[in-house]
Amino acid sequence: MPLTALPPWTRRLAADVALYVAVGVVMAFLGPFGSSERPLPERFVYWFICMVGGGLIGTAIDEPLRRRVSHFWLRVGLASVLMTPFVTVLVGLTNHMFSNGRLGPENIAQPWFQVLVVSFATMTFRQLAWAHTVTPEAPPEAPGDPLAAFRRRLSAKRREAVLIAVEAEDHYLRVHTDAGEELITARFGDALAELALARGFRTHRSWWVAADAIDEVRWLRGRGEARLKSGLVVPVSRSNAAALKAAGWF
């Protein structure tokens, strides 16, 4: 079966494992934290266990955070701290397996700081890798729904929902619909290109709103805001006010 035929989550997991294996290879050659004293083949096995096993623990913890925490460094920090106790146990058990020393709580807990440092670096690298992964360009759409290309980015629950607004947050987009919000990995510029034929306005450097979602627009003291029918209040920058003014909103 070709890789592209696999479900998206399977391809994402395979990419994560490949990343952790690559990091494990680098760590085996570098031999940090005293592991350089081991023979190279043994270092490979040791770091593959620690990096792939620890990385998968990090992935399991980070995936729920991805939908709830949009700030890059906050998410990295939370994932690193939350995964550290579990990965510390894994590393402690792996150390015991390779050293055959006495196993106890103090032995297992001993490498917690090194685990935290490596976890933080690995989660940072993982987020950067996914944030800079370019979504394949969508094939040309048949005449019809001008939102079709963008809708394909959404989960099945919100793919047919009424699109209200799109908000850029770091390397992600928060999509507001009448079926709730959804955080997706995409570049704002790509989203704007896919929404070019839709009835809507870019109101700010990080906001796009659907025309039908606007309730009123106000301009006060050099700044504006658009109040949407959903209750959301969206900023309107001076550089993006012209299109709204031309449409008669103020």
Side-chain angles (χ1 to χ4, degrees):
M1 177 185 293
L3 188 62
T4 54
L6 296 173
W9 71 267
T10 307
R11 297 199 301 270
R12 189 178 179 97
L13 181 61
D16 279 340
V17 171
L19 171 64
Y20 302 142
V21 168
V23 175
V25 169
V26 173
M27 297 293 268
F29 276 114
L30 293 178
F33 308 124
S35 63
S36 59
E37 299 174 1
R38 309 176 191 272
L40 185 59
E42 186 175 310
R43 295 207 302 266
F44 273 115
V45 176
Y46 175 83
W47 282 109
F48 281 178
I49 293 173
C50 293
M51 293 311 307
V52 176
L56 290 176
I57 292 172
T59 296
I61 289 173
D62 185 57
E63 280 302 298
L65 290 175
R66 182 168 65 91
R67 297 174 175 82
R68 295 172 173 82
V69 181
S70 59
H71 191 277
F72 184 91
W73 291 114
L74 178 59
R75 180 178 151 200
V76 169
L78 284 173
S80 303
V81 170
L82 291 174
M83 68 187 282
T84 292
F86 303 100
V87 182
T88 298
V89 172
L90 171 66
V91 173
L93 293 174
T94 306
N95 287 338
H96 172 70
M97 181 176 69
F98 278 87
S99 66
N100 293 319
R102 186 176 64 86
L103 182 64
E106 67 281 0
N107 305 89
I108 293 178
Q110 188 273 332
W112 73 267
F113 182 73
Q114 293 95 321
V115 169
L116 177 61
V117 171
V118 175
S119 296
F120 187 86
T122 304
M123 289 295 101
T124 299
F125 191 33
R126 176 179 184 264
Q127 280 211 54
L128 288 172
W130 280 115
H132 289 86
T133 299
V134 179
T135 303
E137 188 174 331
E141 292 293 326
D145 183 6
L147 297 173
F150 184 76
R151 287 186 187 280
R152 286 211 305 270
R153 297 182 181 272
L154 305 178
S155 63
K157 178 180 178 181
R158 299 182 179 87
R159 195 164 294 160
E160 301 302 321
V162 176
L163 182 62
I164 295 172
V166 179
E167 176 186 4
E169 295 185 2
D170 291 329
H171 302 290
Y172 305 92
L173 299 179
R174 186 174 299 278
V175 183
H176 302 265
T177 74
D178 66 347
E181 301 177 2
E182 182 167 325
L183 198 65
I184 63 174
T185 303
R187 296 183 299 188
F188 191 47
D190 293 340
L192 290 176
E194 293 174 359
L195 296 168
L197 299 179
R199 294 185 63 249
F201 303 93
R202 182 178 185 177
T203 65
H204 187 266
R205 60 183 176 83
S206 58
W207 279 92
W208 179 94
V209 299
D212 293 339
I214 301 175
D215 185 40
E216 66 171 331
V217 179
R218 298 191 299 179
W219 190 267
L220 297 171
R221 298 179 182 177
R223 60 182 296 274
E225 63 180 25
R227 292 185 175 273
L228 308 188
K229 295 172 184 177
S230 63
L232 197 64
V233 178
V234 175
V236 177
S237 65
R238 185 180 295 276
S239 59
N240 291 291
L244 289 164
K245 189 173 183 178
W249 280 106
F250 61 89

